[in-house]
Amino acid sequence: EKMYCSELVSKSLEGFLGINTPRKKMTFDVNPKKWEKFFSINDARVPEGEWGNSPGDFERSSLFDHLGFYY
């Protein structure tokens, strides 16, 4: 099964630890041509309006602590 990195993290956290990660309706309205090209590489369609999360959602979530340094 193909899945995105953030989807793998979400499913893993939910399956192994019972942690539900926040999901929202995804939008790709910034640089839509770029996203069309990105998803077409994997013969996928842009998941506009589908429920999901992004790596940035994890970064901003209070579920996680930041470790290390920011550059």
Side-chain angles (χ1 to χ4, degrees):
E1 173 184 358
K2 289 182 179 181
M3 65 178 74
Y4 303 105
C5 60
S6 54
E7 185 179 9
L8 174 64
V9 171
S10 267
K11 288 183 176 186
S12 298
L13 289 171
E14 190 172 311
F16 294 119
L17 301 175
I19 296 173
N20 291 318
T21 56
R23 292 185 176 97
K24 63 181 181 187
K25 285 198 174 192
M26 297 186 292
T27 61
F28 297 86
D29 52 352
V30 176
N31 298 319
K33 296 290 183 197
K34 175 184 166 186
W35 288 113
E36 288 173 18
K37 183 177 180 179
F38 173 79
F39 283 103
S40 71
I41 291 170
N42 295 311
D43 294 323
R45 63 174 190 73
V46 178
E48 181 70 38
E50 292 184 21
W51 288 96
N53 51 33
S54 71
D57 294 328
F58 291 130
E59 181 182 16
R60 292 182 294 275
S61 173
S62 63
L63 291 172
F64 304 97
D65 292 324
H66 292 271
L67 304 175
F69 296 96
Y70 288 94
Y71 296 97

Short mmCIF file of all heavy atoms in Angstrom, two decimals:
data_model
loop_
_atom_site.label_atom_id
_atom_site.label_comp_id
_atom_site.label_asym_id
_atom_site.label_seq_id
_atom_site.Cartn_x
_atom_site.Cartn_y
_atom_site.Cartn_z
N GLU A 1 0.84 -1.18 0.00
CA GLU A 1 0.00 0.00 0.00
C GLU A 1 0.89 1.24 0.00
O GLU A 1 1.80 1.37 0.81
CB GLU A 1 -0.88 -0.01 1.26
CG GLU A 1 -1.67 1.23 1.45
CD GLU A 1 -2.46 1.23 2.77
OE1 GLU A 1 -2.42 0.25 3.51
OE2 GLU A 1 -3.09 2.25 3.03
N LYS A 2 0.61 2.18 -0.90
CA LYS A 2 1.35 3.43 -0.94
C LYS A 2 0.73 4.39 0.08
O LYS A 2 -0.48 4.42 0.26
CB LYS A 2 1.25 4.08 -2.31
CG LYS A 2 2.02 3.38 -3.39
CD LYS A 2 1.88 4.16 -4.68
CE LYS A 2 2.65 3.51 -5.80
NZ LYS A 2 2.54 4.29 -7.05
N MET A 3 1.61 5.12 0.78
CA MET A 3 1.12 6.17 1.67
C MET A 3 2.18 7.23 1.82
O MET A 3 3.35 7.00 1.54
CB MET A 3 0.69 5.60 3.02
CG MET A 3 1.77 4.99 3.87
SD MET A 3 1.17 4.40 5.47
CE MET A 3 0.29 2.94 5.01
N TYR A 4 1.74 8.39 2.25
CA TYR A 4 2.64 9.51 2.45
C TYR A 4 3.34 9.37 3.79
O TYR A 4 2.86 8.69 4.70
CB TYR A 4 1.86 10.84 2.38
CG TYR A 4 1.14 10.98 1.08
CD1 TYR A 4 -0.23 10.82 1.00
CD2 TYR A 4 1.84 11.26 -0.09
CE1 TYR A 4 -0.89 10.92 -0.22
CE2 TYR A 4 1.18 11.37 -1.30
CZ TYR A 4 -0.18 11.19 -1.36
OH TYR A 4 -0.82 11.30 -2.56
N CYS A 5 4.48 10.03 3.97
CA CYS A 5 5.27 9.90 5.19
C CYS A 5 4.46 10.27 6.43
O CYS A 5 4.48 9.56 7.44
CB CYS A 5 6.55 10.72 5.11
SG CYS A 5 6.28 12.50 4.89
N SER A 6 3.72 11.37 6.36
CA SER A 6 2.94 11.78 7.53
C SER A 6 1.80 10.80 7.81
O SER A 6 1.40 10.60 8.96
CB SER A 6 2.40 13.20 7.36
OG SER A 6 1.69 13.32 6.16
N GLU A 7 1.29 10.16 6.77
CA GLU A 7 0.25 9.15 6.95
C GLU A 7 0.83 7.93 7.66
O GLU A 7 0.19 7.35 8.55
CB GLU A 7 -0.32 8.77 5.58
CG GLU A 7 -1.48 7.82 5.64
CD GLU A 7 -2.03 7.49 4.26
OE1 GLU A 7 -1.41 7.86 3.23
OE2 GLU A 7 -3.08 6.85 4.22
N LEU A 8 2.04 7.54 7.30
CA LEU A 8 2.72 6.41 7.95
C LEU A 8 2.93 6.71 9.44
O LEU A 8 2.67 5.87 10.30
CB LEU A 8 4.06 6.13 7.28
CG LEU A 8 4.93 5.07 7.94
CD1 LEU A 8 4.25 3.71 7.89
CD2 LEU A 8 6.29 5.01 7.27
N VAL A 9 3.39 7.92 9.75
CA VAL A 9 3.61 8.31 11.15
C VAL A 9 2.28 8.28 11.91
O VAL A 9 2.19 7.73 13.01
CB VAL A 9 4.29 9.70 11.24
CG1 VAL A 9 4.32 10.19 12.68
CG2 VAL A 9 5.69 9.64 10.65
N SER A 10 1.23 8.84 11.32
CA SER A 10 -0.08 8.87 11.97
C SER A 10 -0.59 7.47 12.27
O SER A 10 -1.03 7.17 13.38
CB SER A 10 -1.11 9.56 11.08
OG SER A 10 -1.20 10.90 11.36
N LYS A 11 -0.54 6.61 11.27
CA LYS A 11 -1.03 5.24 11.44
C LYS A 11 -0.19 4.47 12.45
O LYS A 11 -0.71 3.67 13.23
CB LYS A 11 -1.08 4.51 10.11
CG LYS A 11 -2.20 5.01 9.22
CD LYS A 11 -2.29 4.23 7.94
CE LYS A 11 -3.49 4.71 7.13
NZ LYS A 11 -3.71 3.90 5.94
N SER A 12 1.10 4.72 12.47
CA SER A 12 1.98 4.04 13.43
C SER A 12 1.67 4.49 14.85
O SER A 12 1.58 3.66 15.76
CB SER A 12 3.44 4.33 13.10
OG SER A 12 3.77 3.82 11.83
N LEU A 13 1.55 5.78 15.06
CA LEU A 13 1.25 6.30 16.40
C LEU A 13 -0.11 5.78 16.89
O LEU A 13 -0.26 5.40 18.05
CB LEU A 13 1.25 7.82 16.41
CG LEU A 13 2.62 8.48 16.27
CD1 LEU A 13 2.47 9.98 16.07
CD2 LEU A 13 3.47 8.20 17.49
N GLU A 14 -1.07 5.75 15.99
CA GLU A 14 -2.40 5.29 16.35
C GLU A 14 -2.39 3.79 16.65
O GLU A 14 -2.94 3.34 17.66
CB GLU A 14 -3.38 5.59 15.21
CG GLU A 14 -4.82 5.38 15.57
CD GLU A 14 -5.75 5.88 14.48
OE1 GLU A 14 -5.57 7.01 14.00
OE2 GLU A 14 -6.64 5.10 14.10
N GLY A 15 -1.74 3.02 15.79
CA GLY A 15 -1.72 1.57 15.94
C GLY A 15 -0.92 1.07 17.11
O GLY A 15 -1.33 0.15 17.82
N PHE A 16 0.25 1.66 17.34
CA PHE A 16 1.14 1.17 18.39
C PHE A 16 0.92 1.83 19.74
O PHE A 16 1.11 1.20 20.77
CB PHE A 16 2.61 1.34 17.97
CG PHE A 16 3.00 0.51 16.79
CD1 PHE A 16 3.44 1.11 15.63
CD2 PHE A 16 2.92 -0.88 16.84
CE1 PHE A 16 3.80 0.34 14.53
CE2 PHE A 16 3.28 -1.65 15.74
CZ PHE A 16 3.72 -1.04 14.59
N LEU A 17 0.56 3.10 19.74
CA LEU A 17 0.47 3.83 21.01
C LEU A 17 -0.94 4.35 21.32
O LEU A 17 -1.16 4.90 22.39
CB LEU A 17 1.45 5.02 20.99
CG LEU A 17 2.92 4.66 20.80
CD1 LEU A 17 3.76 5.93 20.67
CD2 LEU A 17 3.42 3.81 21.95
N GLY A 18 -1.86 4.20 20.38
CA GLY A 18 -3.22 4.69 20.60
C GLY A 18 -3.33 6.20 20.58
O GLY A 18 -4.29 6.76 21.11
N ILE A 19 -2.36 6.89 19.97
CA ILE A 19 -2.36 8.35 19.90
C ILE A 19 -3.02 8.78 18.59
O ILE A 19 -2.58 8.40 17.51
CB ILE A 19 -0.93 8.92 19.95
CG1 ILE A 19 -0.28 8.59 21.29
CG2 ILE A 19 -0.94 10.42 19.71
CD1 ILE A 19 1.18 8.95 21.36
N ASN A 20 -4.08 9.54 18.69
CA ASN A 20 -4.74 10.07 17.50
C ASN A 20 -4.13 11.42 17.16
O ASN A 20 -4.18 12.34 17.96
CB ASN A 20 -6.24 10.22 17.73
CG ASN A 20 -6.93 8.89 17.85
OD1 ASN A 20 -6.64 7.97 17.10
ND2 ASN A 20 -7.83 8.77 18.79
N THR A 21 -3.54 11.50 15.99
CA THR A 21 -2.93 12.76 15.56
C THR A 21 -4.00 13.64 14.93
O THR A 21 -4.97 13.13 14.35
CB THR A 21 -1.80 12.49 14.56
OG1 THR A 21 -2.32 11.73 13.47
CG2 THR A 21 -0.66 11.75 15.22
N PRO A 22 -3.86 14.95 15.02
CA PRO A 22 -4.85 15.86 14.46
C PRO A 22 -4.90 15.74 12.93
O PRO A 22 -3.87 15.60 12.28
CB PRO A 22 -4.38 17.24 14.90
CG PRO A 22 -2.94 17.08 15.23
CD PRO A 22 -2.75 15.66 15.65
N ARG A 23 -6.09 15.75 12.40
CA ARG A 23 -6.28 15.72 10.95
C ARG A 23 -7.13 16.91 10.55
O ARG A 23 -7.94 17.39 11.31
CB ARG A 23 -6.95 14.42 10.53
CG ARG A 23 -6.06 13.22 10.73
CD ARG A 23 -6.72 11.95 10.19
NE ARG A 23 -5.82 10.82 10.30
CZ ARG A 23 -5.84 9.95 11.29
NH1 ARG A 23 -6.70 10.08 12.26
NH2 ARG A 23 -4.99 8.95 11.32
N LYS A 24 -6.91 17.36 9.33
CA LYS A 24 -7.69 18.49 8.80
C LYS A 24 -7.89 18.25 7.31
O LYS A 24 -7.22 17.40 6.71
CB LYS A 24 -6.95 19.80 9.03
CG LYS A 24 -5.63 19.88 8.29
CD LYS A 24 -4.90 21.17 8.54
CE LYS A 24 -3.61 21.16 7.74
NZ LYS A 24 -2.76 22.26 8.04
N LYS A 25 -8.82 18.98 6.72
CA LYS A 25 -8.99 18.89 5.28
C LYS A 25 -7.80 19.58 4.62
O LYS A 25 -7.50 20.73 4.92
CB LYS A 25 -10.30 19.53 4.84
CG LYS A 25 -11.48 18.67 5.17
CD LYS A 25 -12.69 19.09 4.38
CE LYS A 25 -13.79 18.07 4.65
NZ LYS A 25 -14.88 18.22 3.72
N MET A 26 -7.11 18.84 3.78
CA MET A 26 -5.90 19.35 3.16
C MET A 26 -6.23 20.26 1.98
O MET A 26 -7.19 20.02 1.25
CB MET A 26 -5.03 18.18 2.70
CG MET A 26 -4.55 17.32 3.85
SD MET A 26 -3.40 16.03 3.35
CE MET A 26 -4.45 14.98 2.39
N THR A 27 -5.41 21.29 1.84
CA THR A 27 -5.55 22.20 0.70
C THR A 27 -4.20 22.36 0.03
O THR A 27 -3.15 22.29 0.67
CB THR A 27 -6.05 23.59 1.14
OG1 THR A 27 -5.11 24.15 2.04
CG2 THR A 27 -7.41 23.51 1.79
N PHE A 28 -4.23 22.52 -1.25
CA PHE A 28 -3.02 22.67 -2.05
C PHE A 28 -3.17 23.88 -2.96
O PHE A 28 -2.81 23.84 -4.13
CB PHE A 28 -2.78 21.39 -2.86
CG PHE A 28 -2.54 20.18 -2.00
CD1 PHE A 28 -3.60 19.44 -1.51
CD2 PHE A 28 -1.26 19.81 -1.65
CE1 PHE A 28 -3.38 18.34 -0.70
CE2 PHE A 28 -1.02 18.72 -0.84
CZ PHE A 28 -2.09 17.98 -0.37
N ASP A 29 -3.72 24.97 -2.40
CA ASP A 29 -4.00 26.15 -3.21
C ASP A 29 -2.80 27.06 -3.41
O ASP A 29 -2.83 27.94 -4.26
CB ASP A 29 -5.18 26.93 -2.63
CG ASP A 29 -5.03 27.26 -1.15
OD1 ASP A 29 -4.09 26.75 -0.52
OD2 ASP A 29 -5.85 28.01 -0.63
N VAL A 30 -1.73 26.85 -2.67
CA VAL A 30 -0.50 27.60 -2.90
C VAL A 30 0.35 26.79 -3.87
O VAL A 30 0.65 25.62 -3.63
CB VAL A 30 0.26 27.84 -1.57
CG1 VAL A 30 1.58 28.54 -1.84
CG2 VAL A 30 -0.59 28.64 -0.61
N ASN A 31 0.70 27.38 -4.99
CA ASN A 31 1.47 26.72 -6.06
C ASN A 31 0.80 25.44 -6.56
O ASN A 31 1.41 24.37 -6.58
CB ASN A 31 2.89 26.39 -5.58
CG ASN A 31 3.69 27.61 -5.23
OD1 ASN A 31 3.63 28.61 -5.92
ND2 ASN A 31 4.44 27.54 -4.14
N PRO A 32 -0.47 25.50 -6.98
CA PRO A 32 -1.18 24.30 -7.39
C PRO A 32 -0.51 23.53 -8.54
O PRO A 32 -0.54 22.30 -8.56
CB PRO A 32 -2.57 24.81 -7.80
CG PRO A 32 -2.42 26.26 -8.02
CD PRO A 32 -1.29 26.70 -7.15
N LYS A 33 0.12 24.24 -9.47
CA LYS A 33 0.82 23.56 -10.59
C LYS A 33 1.97 22.71 -10.06
O LYS A 33 2.24 21.61 -10.56
CB LYS A 33 1.31 24.56 -11.62
CG LYS A 33 0.22 25.30 -12.31
CD LYS A 33 -0.55 24.38 -13.23
CE LYS A 33 -1.60 25.17 -13.98
NZ LYS A 33 -2.60 24.31 -14.57
N LYS A 34 2.67 23.22 -9.06
CA LYS A 34 3.78 22.47 -8.45
C LYS A 34 3.26 21.18 -7.84
O LYS A 34 3.86 20.12 -8.00
CB LYS A 34 4.45 23.34 -7.38
CG LYS A 34 5.51 22.63 -6.60
CD LYS A 34 6.04 23.54 -5.49
CE LYS A 34 6.84 22.75 -4.50
NZ LYS A 34 7.24 23.55 -3.36
N TRP A 35 2.13 21.26 -7.13
CA TRP A 35 1.56 20.06 -6.49
C TRP A 35 1.07 19.06 -7.53
O TRP A 35 1.23 17.85 -7.37
CB TRP A 35 0.45 20.45 -5.53
CG TRP A 35 0.98 21.11 -4.30
CD1 TRP A 35 0.80 22.40 -3.91
CD2 TRP A 35 1.81 20.51 -3.31
NE1 TRP A 35 1.47 22.65 -2.74
CE2 TRP A 35 2.10 21.50 -2.35
CE3 TRP A 35 2.36 19.24 -3.12
CZ2 TRP A 35 2.89 21.26 -1.23
CZ3 TRP A 35 3.14 19.00 -2.02
CH2 TRP A 35 3.41 20.00 -1.09
N GLU A 36 0.46 19.55 -8.61
CA GLU A 36 0.02 18.66 -9.68
C GLU A 36 1.21 17.89 -10.25
O GLU A 36 1.13 16.68 -10.46
CB GLU A 36 -0.68 19.44 -10.78
CG GLU A 36 -2.05 19.94 -10.38
CD GLU A 36 -2.65 20.88 -11.44
OE1 GLU A 36 -2.19 20.87 -12.60
OE2 GLU A 36 -3.59 21.60 -11.08
N LYS A 37 2.30 18.59 -10.48
CA LYS A 37 3.50 17.94 -11.01
C LYS A 37 4.07 16.94 -9.99
O LYS A 37 4.43 15.82 -10.35
CB LYS A 37 4.55 19.00 -11.35
CG LYS A 37 5.80 18.44 -11.97
CD LYS A 37 6.78 19.54 -12.36
CE LYS A 37 8.03 18.95 -12.97
NZ LYS A 37 8.98 19.98 -13.37
N PHE A 38 4.12 17.34 -8.72
CA PHE A 38 4.65 16.48 -7.67
C PHE A 38 3.87 15.16 -7.59
O PHE A 38 4.44 14.08 -7.59
CB PHE A 38 4.61 17.20 -6.32
CG PHE A 38 4.98 16.33 -5.16
CD1 PHE A 38 6.32 16.07 -4.88
CD2 PHE A 38 4.02 15.77 -4.36
CE1 PHE A 38 6.67 15.26 -3.81
CE2 PHE A 38 4.36 14.96 -3.28
CZ PHE A 38 5.70 14.71 -3.02
N PHE A 39 2.55 15.25 -7.53
CA PHE A 39 1.74 14.05 -7.38
C PHE A 39 1.70 13.23 -8.66
O PHE A 39 1.58 12.01 -8.61
CB PHE A 39 0.33 14.41 -6.91
CG PHE A 39 0.27 14.74 -5.45
CD1 PHE A 39 0.19 16.05 -5.04
CD2 PHE A 39 0.33 13.74 -4.48
CE1 PHE A 39 0.15 16.37 -3.68
CE2 PHE A 39 0.29 14.05 -3.13
CZ PHE A 39 0.21 15.37 -2.73
N SER A 40 1.81 13.86 -9.82
CA SER A 40 1.77 13.12 -11.08
C SER A 40 2.98 12.21 -11.25
O SER A 40 2.90 11.20 -11.95
CB SER A 40 1.65 14.07 -12.26
OG SER A 40 2.85 14.77 -12.45
N ILE A 41 4.08 12.53 -10.59
CA ILE A 41 5.28 11.68 -10.66
C ILE A 41 4.96 10.27 -10.17
O ILE A 41 5.46 9.28 -10.68
CB ILE A 41 6.44 12.30 -9.84
CG1 ILE A 41 6.92 13.57 -10.54
CG2 ILE A 41 7.58 11.32 -9.67
CD1 ILE A 41 7.89 14.40 -9.72
N ASN A 42 4.09 10.17 -9.17
CA ASN A 42 3.71 8.87 -8.60
C ASN A 42 2.35 8.40 -9.10
O ASN A 42 1.71 7.57 -8.47
CB ASN A 42 3.69 8.96 -7.07
CG ASN A 42 5.07 9.21 -6.52
OD1 ASN A 42 6.02 8.53 -6.88
ND2 ASN A 42 5.19 10.20 -5.66
N ASP A 43 1.91 8.94 -10.23
CA ASP A 43 0.60 8.60 -10.81
C ASP A 43 -0.52 8.75 -9.78
O ASP A 43 -1.42 7.91 -9.69
CB ASP A 43 0.61 7.17 -11.36
CG ASP A 43 1.54 7.02 -12.54
OD1 ASP A 43 1.62 7.98 -13.34
OD2 ASP A 43 2.19 5.97 -12.67
N ALA A 44 -0.44 9.79 -8.99
CA ALA A 44 -1.46 10.05 -7.98
C ALA A 44 -2.13 11.39 -8.29
O ALA A 44 -1.59 12.22 -8.99
CB ALA A 44 -0.83 10.09 -6.59
N ARG A 45 -3.31 11.55 -7.76
CA ARG A 45 -3.99 12.83 -7.91
C ARG A 45 -3.76 13.66 -6.66
O ARG A 45 -3.47 13.12 -5.59
CB ARG A 45 -5.48 12.63 -8.17
CG ARG A 45 -6.21 11.96 -7.03
CD ARG A 45 -7.72 11.94 -7.29
NE ARG A 45 -8.43 11.51 -6.11
CZ ARG A 45 -8.60 12.22 -5.00
NH1 ARG A 45 -8.13 13.43 -4.92
NH2 ARG A 45 -9.25 11.73 -3.97
N VAL A 46 -3.88 14.95 -6.79
CA VAL A 46 -3.73 15.86 -5.65
C VAL A 46 -4.88 15.57 -4.67
O VAL A 46 -6.04 15.59 -5.06
CB VAL A 46 -3.77 17.33 -6.10
CG1 VAL A 46 -3.66 18.27 -4.91
CG2 VAL A 46 -2.66 17.61 -7.11
N PRO A 47 -4.57 15.25 -3.40
CA PRO A 47 -5.63 14.89 -2.45
C PRO A 47 -6.36 16.10 -1.86
O PRO A 47 -6.58 16.19 -0.65
CB PRO A 47 -4.86 14.11 -1.37
CG PRO A 47 -3.49 14.67 -1.41
CD PRO A 47 -3.24 15.04 -2.85
N GLU A 48 -6.73 17.02 -2.70
CA GLU A 48 -7.42 18.24 -2.28
C GLU A 48 -8.70 17.90 -1.53
O GLU A 48 -9.52 17.12 -2.00
CB GLU A 48 -7.75 19.09 -3.51
CG GLU A 48 -8.44 20.39 -3.21
CD GLU A 48 -7.53 21.41 -2.53
OE1 GLU A 48 -6.34 21.50 -2.87
OE2 GLU A 48 -8.03 22.12 -1.64
N GLY A 49 -8.85 18.48 -0.34
CA GLY A 49 -10.07 18.30 0.45
C GLY A 49 -10.16 17.02 1.24
O GLY A 49 -11.10 16.81 1.99
N GLU A 50 -9.17 16.13 1.09
CA GLU A 50 -9.18 14.88 1.86
C GLU A 50 -8.63 15.14 3.26
O GLU A 50 -7.86 16.06 3.49
CB GLU A 50 -8.34 13.81 1.16
CG GLU A 50 -8.96 13.35 -0.14
CD GLU A 50 -8.18 12.22 -0.77
OE1 GLU A 50 -7.42 11.52 -0.06
OE2 GLU A 50 -8.34 12.03 -1.99
N TRP A 51 -9.05 14.31 4.19
CA TRP A 51 -8.58 14.44 5.57
C TRP A 51 -7.17 13.88 5.67
O TRP A 51 -6.87 12.82 5.13
CB TRP A 51 -9.51 13.70 6.52
CG TRP A 51 -10.81 14.40 6.69
CD1 TRP A 51 -11.96 14.13 6.02
CD2 TRP A 51 -11.08 15.51 7.54
NE1 TRP A 51 -12.95 15.01 6.40
CE2 TRP A 51 -12.43 15.87 7.34
CE3 TRP A 51 -10.33 16.23 8.44
CZ2 TRP A 51 -13.03 16.92 8.02
CZ3 TRP A 51 -10.92 17.28 9.11
CH2 TRP A 51 -12.26 17.61 8.90
N GLY A 52 -6.30 14.60 6.36
CA GLY A 52 -4.93 14.15 6.53
C GLY A 52 -4.14 15.13 7.37
O GLY A 52 -4.70 15.98 8.05
N ASN A 53 -2.84 14.98 7.32
CA ASN A 53 -1.94 15.88 8.03
C ASN A 53 -0.65 15.98 7.24
O ASN A 53 -0.43 15.22 6.31
CB ASN A 53 -1.72 15.45 9.47
CG ASN A 53 -1.33 14.00 9.58
OD1 ASN A 53 -0.67 13.47 8.71
ND2 ASN A 53 -1.76 13.33 10.62
N SER A 54 0.17 16.90 7.65
CA SER A 54 1.44 17.11 6.97
C SER A 54 2.56 17.09 8.00
O SER A 54 2.31 17.19 9.20
CB SER A 54 1.43 18.46 6.25
OG SER A 54 1.49 19.51 7.20
N PRO A 55 3.80 16.96 7.56
CA PRO A 55 4.91 17.05 8.51
C PRO A 55 4.87 18.34 9.32
O PRO A 55 5.19 18.35 10.51
CB PRO A 55 6.15 16.98 7.61
CG PRO A 55 5.70 16.19 6.43
CD PRO A 55 4.27 16.61 6.20
N GLY A 56 4.44 19.43 8.71
CA GLY A 56 4.32 20.70 9.43
C GLY A 56 3.29 20.65 10.54
O GLY A 56 3.44 21.30 11.57
N ASP A 57 2.22 19.86 10.33
CA ASP A 57 1.21 19.71 11.38
C ASP A 57 1.82 19.04 12.61
O ASP A 57 1.50 19.39 13.74
CB ASP A 57 0.02 18.88 10.88
CG ASP A 57 -0.76 19.57 9.79
OD1 ASP A 57 -0.82 20.82 9.79
OD2 ASP A 57 -1.30 18.86 8.92
N PHE A 58 2.68 18.07 12.38
CA PHE A 58 3.35 17.41 13.51
C PHE A 58 4.26 18.40 14.23
O PHE A 58 4.32 18.43 15.46
CB PHE A 58 4.19 16.22 13.04
CG PHE A 58 3.38 15.06 12.54
CD1 PHE A 58 3.67 14.48 11.33
CD2 PHE A 58 2.33 14.54 13.28
CE1 PHE A 58 2.94 13.40 10.86
CE2 PHE A 58 1.59 13.46 12.83
CZ PHE A 58 1.89 12.90 11.60
N GLU A 59 4.97 19.20 13.45
CA GLU A 59 5.90 20.17 14.05
C GLU A 59 5.17 21.17 14.94
O GLU A 59 5.67 21.54 15.99
CB GLU A 59 6.65 20.91 12.95
CG GLU A 59 7.64 21.91 13.47
CD GLU A 59 8.35 22.67 12.37
OE1 GLU A 59 7.89 22.66 11.22
OE2 GLU A 59 9.37 23.31 12.69
N ARG A 60 3.98 21.57 14.55
CA ARG A 60 3.22 22.56 15.32
C ARG A 60 2.36 21.93 16.42
O ARG A 60 1.81 22.63 17.25
CB ARG A 60 2.33 23.35 14.37
CG ARG A 60 3.10 24.26 13.43
CD ARG A 60 2.20 25.07 12.54
NE ARG A 60 1.44 24.27 11.58
CZ ARG A 60 1.90 23.87 10.39
NH1 ARG A 60 3.13 24.19 10.02
NH2 ARG A 60 1.15 23.17 9.58
N SER A 61 2.25 20.61 16.45
CA SER A 61 1.37 19.94 17.40
C SER A 61 1.96 19.93 18.81
O SER A 61 3.16 19.74 19.01
CB SER A 61 1.14 18.50 16.94
OG SER A 61 0.42 17.79 17.92
N SER A 62 1.08 20.07 19.79
CA SER A 62 1.52 19.98 21.19
C SER A 62 1.73 18.53 21.62
O SER A 62 2.18 18.28 22.74
CB SER A 62 0.48 20.66 22.10
OG SER A 62 -0.75 19.96 22.01
N LEU A 63 1.44 17.57 20.75
CA LEU A 63 1.66 16.16 21.07
C LEU A 63 3.14 15.80 21.10
O LEU A 63 3.52 14.79 21.66
CB LEU A 63 0.98 15.26 20.02
CG LEU A 63 -0.54 15.25 20.01
CD1 LEU A 63 -1.04 14.46 18.79
CD2 LEU A 63 -1.07 14.64 21.29
N PHE A 64 3.97 16.64 20.49
CA PHE A 64 5.38 16.31 20.34
C PHE A 64 6.27 17.35 21.00
O PHE A 64 5.94 18.54 21.04
CB PHE A 64 5.75 16.23 18.84
CG PHE A 64 4.91 15.24 18.10
CD1 PHE A 64 3.81 15.66 17.37
CD2 PHE A 64 5.21 13.89 18.14
CE1 PHE A 64 3.01 14.75 16.69
CE2 PHE A 64 4.42 12.98 17.47
CZ PHE A 64 3.32 13.40 16.75
N ASP A 65 7.39 16.91 21.51
CA ASP A 65 8.40 17.80 22.06
C ASP A 65 9.51 17.95 21.03
O ASP A 65 9.84 17.00 20.31
CB ASP A 65 9.01 17.22 23.35
CG ASP A 65 8.01 17.20 24.49
OD1 ASP A 65 7.20 18.13 24.59
OD2 ASP A 65 8.04 16.24 25.28
N HIS A 66 10.10 19.13 20.98
CA HIS A 66 11.22 19.38 20.08
C HIS A 66 12.51 19.03 20.80
O HIS A 66 12.75 19.45 21.92
CB HIS A 66 11.26 20.85 19.64
CG HIS A 66 10.10 21.21 18.77
ND1 HIS A 66 10.14 21.07 17.40
CD2 HIS A 66 8.87 21.67 19.06
CE1 HIS A 66 8.98 21.43 16.89
NE2 HIS A 66 8.20 21.81 17.87
N LEU A 67 13.34 18.26 20.13
CA LEU A 67 14.64 17.87 20.66
C LEU A 67 15.72 18.40 19.73
O LEU A 67 15.56 18.36 18.52
CB LEU A 67 14.75 16.35 20.76
CG LEU A 67 13.67 15.66 21.58
CD1 LEU A 67 13.84 14.15 21.47
CD2 LEU A 67 13.74 16.09 23.02
N GLY A 68 16.81 18.85 20.28
CA GLY A 68 17.91 19.31 19.45
C GLY A 68 17.86 20.79 19.18
O GLY A 68 17.16 21.55 19.85
N PHE A 69 18.61 21.18 18.16
CA PHE A 69 18.77 22.59 17.84
C PHE A 69 18.09 22.92 16.52
O PHE A 69 17.98 22.08 15.64
CB PHE A 69 20.26 22.93 17.72
CG PHE A 69 21.00 22.75 19.01
CD1 PHE A 69 21.69 21.59 19.28
CD2 PHE A 69 20.98 23.75 19.98
CE1 PHE A 69 22.37 21.42 20.47
CE2 PHE A 69 21.65 23.59 21.17
CZ PHE A 69 22.34 22.41 21.41
N TYR A 70 17.69 24.17 16.39
CA TYR A 70 17.16 24.67 15.13
C TYR A 70 18.23 25.48 14.46
O TYR A 70 18.96 26.23 15.10
CB TYR A 70 15.94 25.58 15.37
CG TYR A 70 14.73 24.82 15.82
CD1 TYR A 70 14.44 24.67 17.17
CD2 TYR A 70 13.88 24.25 14.89
CE1 TYR A 70 13.32 23.97 17.58
CE2 TYR A 70 12.76 23.55 15.28
CZ TYR A 70 12.49 23.42 16.64
OH TYR A 70 11.38 22.73 17.02
N TYR A 71 18.36 25.33 13.17
CA TYR A 71 19.37 26.08 12.42
C TYR A 71 18.70 27.10 11.56
O TYR A 71 17.66 26.96 11.06
CB TYR A 71 20.21 25.15 11.55
CG TYR A 71 21.01 24.19 12.37
CD1 TYR A 71 20.57 22.90 12.62
CD2 TYR A 71 22.23 24.60 12.90
CE1 TYR A 71 21.31 22.02 13.38
CE2 TYR A 71 22.99 23.73 13.67
CZ TYR A 71 22.53 22.43 13.90
OH TYR A 71 23.27 21.58 14.65
#
